[in-house]
Amino acid sequence: MSDDDDKTSGRLERLQLGLVHLQTAMAASGERVVVLLEGRDGAGKDGAIKRITEHLSPRATRVVALPRPSDRERTQWFLQRYVAHLPAAGELVIFNRSWYNRAGVEVVMGFSSKAEQAEFLRDAPDFERMLVESGIKLVKIWLDITKKEQKSRLDARRTDPLKALKVSDMDAVAQKKWKAYTAARDTMLARTHSAIAPWYCVRADDKKAARRAIIAHILHQVAPASIVEDLPRPDPETLFAYDPAAGEDGRLS
């Protein structure tokens, strides 16, 4: 292991220890936390979640990655099946993709109607306001990568047998529909960013830097001051609050 790798590992472990302290505090306080991880295909959501949960209690940590809705679920209120996975006292719930499927892949692939998509963009801020006002701490993170980096990662999935379970039908169109996904992302962020439930964006071409930034951000958003007072804040070159200008100035690809 090089000196740089050793330093990087130490920084990550320090942040992961902060997560352990956070979960201990949540068990005592009954705090409820929801983290939404959204992003382009191949942006590193799975790897980030692995680092977040690596040392946490499985009894108080849940990762939710829902499959396509069943025929029955398609007849329900769209947000209904997500509500069922919200945390109870002391729990951390991480959504690996969330209700924002309706504003992303469903828009690009036509999996829902334009009326349904418009209804979602109208209702999502109110839904999230109700979650926050109920006492849930909500953290929304968008992971962004360049088109070149996405191609490299998707190609690696297809050639590495250990990554075979990551390959999906959506991978085949991610590059072809890059501009459509960009437009859907920009609309989603602009319409659902709010003071009570803001979006934060991560430049995730550097996986290790992105993971550290995400963990640091979660801690500084939800942990007691006594836990984070000696922990670094996320690197602003890697993680930043959503800004409509980010798509124009190169911060978002």
Side-chain angles (χ1 to χ4, degrees), residues 87 97 135 163 173 189 225:
R97 297 196 183 275
K163 296 181 179 179
V173 298
L189 294 176

Side-chain angles (χ1 to χ4, degrees), residues 44 49 57 72 87 90 99 128 159 179 190 199 205-206 239-240:
I49 290 170
S57 167
R72 179 176 181 274
W99 43 89
E128 291 167 2
T159 58
K179 289 184 178 179
W199 278 105
D205 276 18
D206 183 333
L239 185 148
F240 56 92

Side-chain angles (χ1 to χ4, degrees), residues 14-228:
R14 187 179 172 200
L15 291 166
Q16 289 177 320
L17 182 58
L19 288 172
V20 172
H21 291 158
L22 169 61
Q23 192 159 65
T24 301
M26 288 174 59
S29 68
E31 198 78 73
R32 295 170 291 154
V33 176
V34 170
V35 175
L36 307 186
L37 286 182
E38 296 287 341
R40 293 189 185 272
D41 291 321
K45 295 178 291 297
D46 291 344
I49 290 170
K50 182 178 179 180
R51 297 303 180 272
I52 293 168
T53 61
E54 191 170 7
H55 302 291
L56 298 182
S57 167
R59 292 185 296 276
T61 309
R62 286 188 285 116
V63 177
V64 179
L66 297 182
R68 295 176 182 176
S70 65
D71 290 342
R72 179 176 181 274
E73 286 171 330
R74 289 190 183 94
T75 69
Q76 297 174 342
W77 175 47
F78 174 70
L79 293 164
Q80 186 170 334
R81 70 181 189 138
Y82 295 99
V83 171
H85 297 278
L86 293 174
E91 291 182 345
L92 165 65
V93 172
I94 303 171
F95 283 92
N96 184 353
R97 297 196 183 275
S98 65
W99 43 89
Y100 281 103
N101 274 340
R102 175 131 296 180
V105 65
E106 292 192 16
V107 171
V108 175
M109 302 303 296
F111 292 156
S112 55
S113 70
K114 296 206 177 283
E116 289 171 328
Q117 294 157 17
E119 180 181 11
F120 171 80
L121 290 173
R122 182 195 69 207
D123 292 348
D126 288 335
F127 172 66
E128 291 167 2
R129 174 184 53 77
M130 288 188 285
L131 296 184
V132 174
E133 290 179 349
S134 77
I136 289 175
K137 290 188 174 180
L138 177 63
V139 181
K140 301 179 349 187
I141 300 174
W142 171 267
L143 281 73
D144 207 66
I145 52 174
T146 60
K147 188 175 184 180
K148 179 181 178 181
E149 180 65 15
Q150 184 188 65
K151 182 179 186 305
S152 175
R153 294 184 187 182
L154 295 181
D155 287 347
R157 286 182 182 180
R158 290 189 288 271
T159 58
D160 186 344
L162 291 176
K163 296 181 179 179
L165 295 177
K166 287 190 172 185
V167 177
S168 74
D169 294 340
M170 295 298 100
D171 291 352
V173 298
Q175 291 266 295
K176 293 179 182 178
K177 294 184 177 290
W178 178 269
K179 289 184 178 179
Y181 273 112
T182 298
R185 175 203 67 193
D186 291 347
T187 298
M188 179 194 80
L189 294 176
R191 292 285 302 278
T192 61
H193 176 76
S194 66
I196 198 169
W199 278 105
Y200 285 81
C201 303
V202 178
R203 302 174 72 180
D205 276 18
D206 183 333
K207 292 180 180 181
K208 291 182 179 180
R211 292 163 185 169
R212 293 195 304 271
I214 288 167
I215 296 174
H217 176 66
I218 293 170
L219 287 167
H220 279 280
Q221 289 291 107
V222 306
S226 60
I227 292 175
V228 298

